[in-house]
Amino acid sequence: MEIQFKNILLRDMKESDIEDYVRWFTTETQWMDWDAPWEIDRSDANTERRSWTEYYESMREMPDDVPRWKFEIDCEGSHIGWVSSYLTDENYEWISARQVKNGQNRKGRAPHGSVVLGPVSISNPSPMPVVTA
């Protein structure tokens, strides 16, 4: 699935994205200081590569009519990050997909959506394209 607006493309993951994730989760990790720093769990390249390969394999055949919780962000042909969503209750506490599926939303209330932006090549030494959305 793809969503295009000017020079920004939101798309499903490609196999070539795996190495970007390996880099973002092992060497270019500055973004982790700003995105839920209490959740940081450092990993090694082999573990990340295996994990992202498994994720890619589980998602690559997803039909276009299935709702997405995550998109990759391309800007002018460069993979620069991701955007994802997750469910929270009225106190902004995370609700797992299992809880939602089983109807076990905390306190019986409807979940709210939240959006989180992933890294945008923070330490990329090459000039980043200008995003004009």
Side-chain angles (χ1 to χ4, degrees), residues 14-111:
K14 296 187 224 176
E15 189 171 9
S16 60
D17 297 335
I18 293 170
E19 289 305 311
D20 290 335
Y21 279 104
V22 170
R23 188 177 68 252
W24 291 332
F25 279 84
T26 59
T27 59
E28 295 181 12
T29 59
Q30 298 88 344
W31 65 273
M32 291 180 177
D33 295 337
W34 302 100
D35 181 29
W38 55 88
E39 294 179 358
I40 294 177
D41 186 18
R42 303 281 185 210
S43 184
D44 63 85
N46 289 333
T47 301
E48 288 299 329
R49 191 171 290 108
R50 185 172 40 255
S51 175
W52 287 106
T53 299
E54 288 172 6
Y55 173 79
Y56 168 73
E57 292 295 330
S58 73
M59 303 299 285
R60 73 179 180 160
E61 300 296 327
M62 185 180 292
D64 282 348
D65 63 344
V66 173
R68 304 305 200 260
W69 65 271
K70 181 176 181 290
F71 283 105
E72 306 306 314
I73 305 171
D74 274 7
C75 181
E76 298 179 356
S78 295
H79 182 221
I80 62 169
W82 74 90
V83 61
S84 60
S85 65
Y86 54 90
L87 299 174
T88 61
D89 64 16
E90 71 280 357
N91 296 316
Y92 301 101
E93 293 185 31
W94 179 70
I95 300 172
S96 74
R98 180 174 292 147
Q99 287 173 302
V100 172
K101 183 177 179 180
N102 295 334
Q104 299 170 338
N105 299 353
R106 294 181 186 177
K107 301 177 187 161
R109 294 185 175 38

